[in-house]
Amino acid sequence: MPTTEPPPPDTHGPHEPLRPHDLVRDHTVYACVMGSRAFGLATDGSDTDRRGVYVAPTPLFWRFEKPPTHVEGPAEEQFGHELERFCELALRANPNILECLHSPLVEHVDDTGRELLALRGAFLSRRAHETFTGYAVSQRKKLDADVRLHGAPRWKHAMHLLRLLTSCRDLLRTGTLTVDVGAEREPLLAVKRGEVSWSEVESRMTRLAAEADAAADRTPLPPEPDHRRVADFLFRVRRDSALGH
């Protein structure tokens, strides 16, 4: 179950050194597990990738040394974004960020985090077609290069590209982003194990990309994300932090 304990009071004085890991430890508002475990594709050797969002106290922005927009750690495979940067990337329909908002494996959420999750729909727009398929094209080029150089792709990457294209297609069709692959788990893991020919994988990729393009023409998603709702939320968070609420 997600934890809801409030973070410790802020102790970052105007002359105290800024320690990025303290921001993650003391000011995280949302934390989840991503990667194969969130996708429903984990196996015995899978890592646990943790992602989170922290809110740097507003007074830290009044110093010459600004708080970081992102922090790696403190644990292995852990990465966090400051709220403003996270929102910026989500408004641009960054696939990794949008999926983070929809992870089924939430490890921590406080009141601000719950407000962020309530805004998930405000970040979704038709921009996702361009960003998801653009990322897919770049990954496909890498796979093609592997085939030319080594005679085979990196099958794990091929699996995740199929997953991404499926997610994109379904998002455009339904207006809902689903992270867990559900019934597609075993067919995708067969690709990871190299049990599916590259020609068949190529065919699946081409079909999924075409289906995503077709879905984009009649998607229920709005043309643009709801910038105003997100901006109002960020303003309230910054104001409340400045006032010590």
Side-chain angles (χ1 to χ4, degrees):
M1 295 291 291
T3 59
T4 57
E5 294 84 359
D10 179 36
T11 57
H12 303 289
H15 305 295
E16 293 294 323
L18 183 57
R19 295 182 291 270
H21 287 171
D22 289 350
L23 293 173
V24 174
R25 184 194 65 207
D26 299 339
H27 301 289
T28 290
V29 299
Y30 171 65
C32 67
V33 173
M34 282 304 302
S36 294
R37 297 194 182 281
F39 300 144
L41 293 169
T43 57
D44 290 342
S46 295
D47 294 330
T48 300
D49 299 321
R50 288 184 164 85
R51 300 291 178 265
V53 181
Y54 59 90
V55 176
T58 300
L60 292 182
F61 291 93
W62 302 338
R63 300 160 31 150
F64 285 119
E65 181 190 8
K66 306 302 180 189
T69 60
H70 61 271
V71 175
E72 291 191 44
E76 291 186 11
E77 307 298 335
Q78 183 179 7
F79 190 94
H81 280 97
E82 207 283 324
L83 177 66
E84 183 173 342
R85 180 59 174 164
F86 186 88
C87 289
E88 288 175 345
L89 293 172
L91 287 168
R92 297 177 193 170
N94 179 291
N96 292 326
I97 298 298
L98 290 181
E99 289 182 334
C100 180
L101 276 174
H102 292 78
S103 172
L105 303 178
V106 175
E107 292 193 321
H108 170 82
V109 62
D110 66 5
D111 288 343
T112 302
R114 276 186 282 273
E115 284 193 67
L116 176 64
L117 292 180
L119 283 173
R120 284 184 292 195
F123 293 107
L124 296 177
S125 73
R126 295 176 193 172
R127 290 185 180 187
H129 180 226
E130 178 182 353
T131 56
F132 276 66
T133 57
Y135 183 73
V137 167
S138 68
Q139 294 304 301
R140 174 65 184 274
K141 290 179 179 178
K142 293 179 181 179
L143 291 172
D144 287 339
D146 286 338
V147 173
R148 287 194 303 271
L149 292 172
H150 308 295
R154 287 172 288 181
W155 293 110
K156 179 179 178 180
H157 292 189
M159 174 191 72
H160 281 297
L161 180 48
L162 287 170
R163 182 207 63 78
L164 180 71
L165 286 168
T166 302
S167 180
C168 175
R169 179 201 63 187
D170 293 347
L171 169 60
L172 293 167
R173 283 179 174 177
T174 67
T176 301
L177 181 57
T178 302
V179 172
D180 193 299
V181 301
E184 292 298 312
R185 171 181 164 84
E186 288 308 319
L188 287 170
L189 288 178
V191 171
K192 181 183 178 182
R193 293 191 296 263
E195 297 171 359
V196 183
S197 69
W198 174 236
S199 61
E200 172 61 23
V201 172
E202 282 186 303
S203 178
R204 290 187 198 177
M205 289 177 179
T206 300
R207 173 176 55 81
L208 287 168
E211 290 173 352
D213 290 344
D217 293 334
R218 54 183 183 276
T219 181
L221 292 174
E224 296 292 331
D226 195 335
H227 285 267
R228 176 167 298 200
R229 281 183 65 198
V230 177
D232 287 346
F233 163 67
L234 181 61
F235 177 84
R236 285 187 285 104
V237 172
R238 294 280 193 246
R239 179 196 60 198
D240 290 348
S241 174
L243 295 174
H245 293 173

